[in-house]
Amino acid sequence: MPRTAVPDVSARQRGVALITALVVLAIAAGMSAAMIWQTGLDERRTATLVQGDQAMEYALGAEAWAGQILSRAARKNQGVTALSQDWAQQLPPLPVDGGQIQGRIEDLQGRFNVNNLVNAQGVIQAPVVEQFRRLLQALELDPAIADAAADWMSPGTGASQGGAKDDYYSRLQPAYLTSGVPMSSISEMLLVKGVTPQVYARLAPYLSALPPSLGGGATTVNVNTASGPVLESLDPHITPDVASQVIGERGSVVFNTGNPPQAFTAGNLAPKGIGYDSQYFLVTVDAEIGTTHVTLYSLLLRNGVNVTTVRRTLGTL
């Protein structure tokens, strides 16, 4: 009888062991790749956090430096704030360890303060609403936005003609209600009836949302720093030509209470709510460290030679 072949058990076991070893090797390789990937992510995350902290510290340092510049300007130019002073000079980007930093200071009282539309008692100020309408017209925007902005900050439910209150906003998608209080940021204007992103982009450089003046009342517009459209808003008789004359005069003189713009005096103009000094300033700092970019907006209050930070925001005004 022929002999039956005996299976080679040892060969089979060696094959199973080889397959098992290959599977274990594949698993180990996969785990190693995952660990390397995770380690790389952790390193990048840590680097981003470190760079972000470093950029923020540089930005805060620039804010403190801006405060010193404003304080020094107050000592040197008592009672007057003008674009010819050191604080208004634009500096090139400054190199720092790992990147660069750049900043600028802007006089927010060279803009229209939307919070002047309503007084501390919540009463809409009709002359200020008219001023805002003139600014909107100078920018070729819908003047009804002025009424809507005043309604947004005033208490109560009655809307002005051309304005809007809760009955309008509650029908929007998504629905929301009016604030009934002063704005803390001009970006809040995006919630106001008639203000589209395109309108906001056009309007924002001419607006501020400031607390009351140190005296507790409305802030004034500094004619030494105000732009043409803001100057036009001060009085219905200030035409673009008159505003241009005022800006032209600023190239050689600094206005003050004893030396107002000749373009005003020649035209017998006495606009309300103007001033020659400023209390509120916006400091914008862009800090780039490695791949991290931080933009810090700081609202500074100058009281005499003392400068304090009112608020800070990141990435938006």
Side-chain angles (χ1 to χ4, degrees):
M1 273 183 85
R3 298 179 60 186
T4 304
V6 178
D8 189 348
V9 177
S10 62
R12 183 184 302 171
Q13 289 175 341
R14 286 195 300 272
V16 171
L18 179 60
I19 293 174
T20 302
L22 291 173
V23 171
V24 172
L25 182 61
I27 293 173
M31 292 178 64
S32 297
M35 290 176 63
I36 293 172
W37 173 258
Q38 186 62 46
T39 301
L41 285 179
D42 290 341
E43 290 177 351
R44 286 194 291 272
R45 188 180 296 115
T46 301
T48 298
L49 290 173
V50 171
Q51 290 171 359
D53 289 343
Q54 187 179 357
M56 189 63 187
E57 290 301 320
Y58 278 129
L60 292 174
E63 177 196 286
W65 185 28
Q68 294 174 7
I69 293 172
L70 289 170
S71 180
R72 186 169 63 244
R75 290 189 183 93
K76 186 178 179 181
N77 309 278
Q78 295 183 4
V80 175
T81 300
L83 294 175
S84 57
Q85 296 168 5
D86 291 344
W87 64 267
Q89 310 312 306
Q90 181 66 53
L91 296 176
L94 300 176
V96 295
D97 187 19
Q100 67 176 18
I101 186 170
Q102 186 171 21
R104 65 182 182 275
I105 305 174
E106 298 173 77
D107 178 11
L108 289 182
Q109 288 184 233
R111 302 184 182 190
F112 175 82
N113 182 9
V114 293
N115 288 334
N116 285 347
L117 290 166
V118 179
N119 67 12
Q121 291 71 43
V123 178
I124 294 176
Q125 303 300 290
V128 184
V129 175
E130 288 296 330
Q131 180 185 349
F132 195 13
R133 286 197 190 105
R134 290 192 291 269
L135 174 61
L136 290 161
Q137 289 170 338
L139 297 173
E140 299 181 342
L141 298 174
D142 184 2
I145 293 173
D147 299 282
D151 285 347
W152 178 265
M153 293 182 288
S154 64
T157 57
S160 306
Q161 184 176 0
K165 290 299 268 185
D166 292 345
D167 59 343
Y168 169 82
Y169 297 106
S170 61
R171 293 195 298 268
L172 301 178
Q173 292 295 330
Y176 52 91
L177 302 178
T178 56
S179 72
V181 296
M183 295 185 187
S184 59
S185 167
I186 60 169
S187 61
E188 198 172 329
M189 283 292 297
L190 283 164
L191 299 173
V192 173
K193 177 184 177 184
V195 181
T196 63
Q198 294 76 19
V199 169
Y200 178 78
R202 174 71 170 142
L203 186 57
Y206 303 95
L207 297 185
S208 63
L210 302 177
S213 68
L214 292 175
T219 58
T220 57
V221 171
N222 187 342
V223 294
N224 282 307
T225 61
S227 63
V230 175
L231 290 171
E232 290 178 52
S233 74
L234 294 171
D235 188 280
H237 299 98
I238 299 179
T239 63
D241 287 341
V242 172
S244 295
Q245 290 176 39
V246 173
I247 293 173
E249 288 182 55
R250 291 196 312 221
S252 56
V253 299
V254 174
F255 304 130
N256 54 49
T257 53
N259 181 34
Q262 291 184 3
F264 287 175
T265 56
N268 235 1
L269 301 175
K272 305 293 185 182
I274 68 170
Y276 305 98
D277 199 8
S278 298
Q279 300 167 343
Y280 291 101
F281 298 84
L282 173 66
V283 177
T284 304
V285 182
D286 292 302
E288 295 182 14
I289 305 297
T291 58
T292 302
H293 182 199
V294 170
T295 300
L296 175 67
Y297 297 99
S298 302
L299 174 61
L300 302 188
L301 169 63
R302 185 175 66 181
N303 181 9
V305 298
N306 299 314
V307 179
T308 56
T309 301
V310 177
R311 62 172 177 260
R312 300 185 183 100
T313 59
L314 291 172
T316 183
L317 281 174

